[in-house]
Amino acid sequence: TKIENINLIRPLLKFKKKDLIFISRNVFNFFVEDPSNDDIKYTRIRVRKLIAELKKNGFNKNKFLLTIKNLKSSDQAILFYVEQNKKLNSFYFQREKKLILNKNFFNNPYEIVFRSLSDSIKLVGGMFNPVRGKKIDKIIKEIGKNLPIKQTLGGCIIKKVNQTVILTKES
C-alpha cells in the first residue's frame, strides 16, 4: 500500500499473531505490545472486538463469508427484477429527459419498487449520488395514495396523474 508517497509493506499479514509473538520472543528475545491495539477510538479495534463477540456467540468467519455470499446472490436476484421492472413498466423520452412509470411499476415487492424508483430518479435528475432512502420511502408512500401529487426530488419533478407517474428533469 502507498500512503503519502511511502510504501507500506506488510509481508507478515498471513501469519497468526501468536506465531509472530513466539518468533519475536524466541528469536529476538523481546516483543513490543502496541497500545493502539486496545484503543477503541480506532475502527480496526472496534471491528476486532465485534468479530470476537460474534465468535463467542457462534458466528465464525465461515458463517460470515457464507452470509455475504448469500446476500450477494440475493442482491443479484433483486437487481434482475429491478431491471425487469424498469424495462417493462417505464418508458424514457431521452430528448425531453422524461420518464413515464405505469401503475404496474409500483405493483412489485417494496425493495424492487424502491430500487427501481431510486434508479429512475437518478437517471432523469442526472445526479451523481442517489437520493436518500427516507425520501424515496416517503415519495413511494405518497404515490401509493389515490391522490395527485407534484413534488421535486433528486433533480426531478415527480408528478402523479391518475395511475401514471411522470418524472421530468427539474430546470
Side-chain angles (χ1 to χ4, degrees):
T1 305
K2 195 166 199 161
I3 301 173
E4 297 178 16
N5 292 325
I6 298 171
N7 287 324
L8 179 62
I9 301 169
R10 300 182 71 192
L12 304 175
L13 284 176
K14 297 203 186 280
F15 292 93
K16 292 181 180 176
K17 183 176 179 177
K18 68 177 185 158
D19 294 335
L20 294 173
I21 292 171
F22 177 83
I23 291 168
S24 223
R25 286 192 173 137
N26 291 297
V27 173
F28 304 109
N29 295 324
F30 73 95
F31 170 74
V32 177
E33 186 70 44
D34 181 357
S36 73
N37 284 333
D38 293 321
D39 193 340
I40 60 169
K41 78 177 183 182
Y42 298 107
T43 303
R44 65 187 166 89
I45 305 308
R46 291 193 306 272
V47 169
R48 284 180 192 157
K49 288 184 183 292
L50 174 63
I51 290 169
E53 190 62 34
L54 290 171
K55 279 182 182 177
K56 276 197 285 186
N57 290 296
F59 195 70
N60 64 28
K61 183 178 179 181
N62 291 335
K63 286 182 183 178
F64 185 69
L65 293 174
L66 181 60
T67 300
I68 289 172
K69 181 182 173 193
N70 291 339
L71 286 171
K72 282 182 181 180
S73 177
S74 297
D75 189 54
Q76 289 302 311
I78 290 169
L79 289 175
F80 172 81
Y81 287 107
V82 165
E83 291 305 315
Q84 286 294 108
N85 188 36
K86 293 187 305 187
K87 181 178 169 184
L88 298 174
N89 299 310
S90 67
F91 189 79
Y92 185 55
F93 297 91
Q94 192 166 0
R95 188 179 305 140
E96 295 105 30
K97 293 246 183 202
K98 180 183 200 177
L99 184 69
I100 308 233
L101 311 175
N102 68 30
K103 68 178 182 177
N104 292 328
F105 186 93
F106 298 95
N107 291 338
N108 283 285
Y110 179 80
E111 187 65 22
I112 305 303
V113 173
F114 182 94
R115 291 188 190 196
S116 298
L117 185 59
S118 180
D119 287 356
S120 299
I121 291 169
K122 192 172 174 186
L123 170 71
V124 174
M127 304 296 261
F128 181 74
N129 293 316
V131 175
R132 290 186 168 270
K134 287 181 182 180
K135 292 182 178 184
I136 298 283
D137 184 53
K138 184 179 176 192
I139 199 83
I140 291 171
K141 287 177 183 166
E142 288 294 316
I143 290 169
K145 297 176 184 174
N146 284 331
L147 300 169
I149 63 166
K150 186 174 181 180
Q151 295 186 18
T152 59
L153 183 63
C156 294
I157 298 169
I158 302 169
K159 188 176 178 181
K160 181 181 176 193
V161 180
N162 297 323
Q163 299 298 313
T164 304
V165 175
I166 304 164
L167 281 72
T168 53
K169 182 148 178 74
E170 195 175 21
S171 10

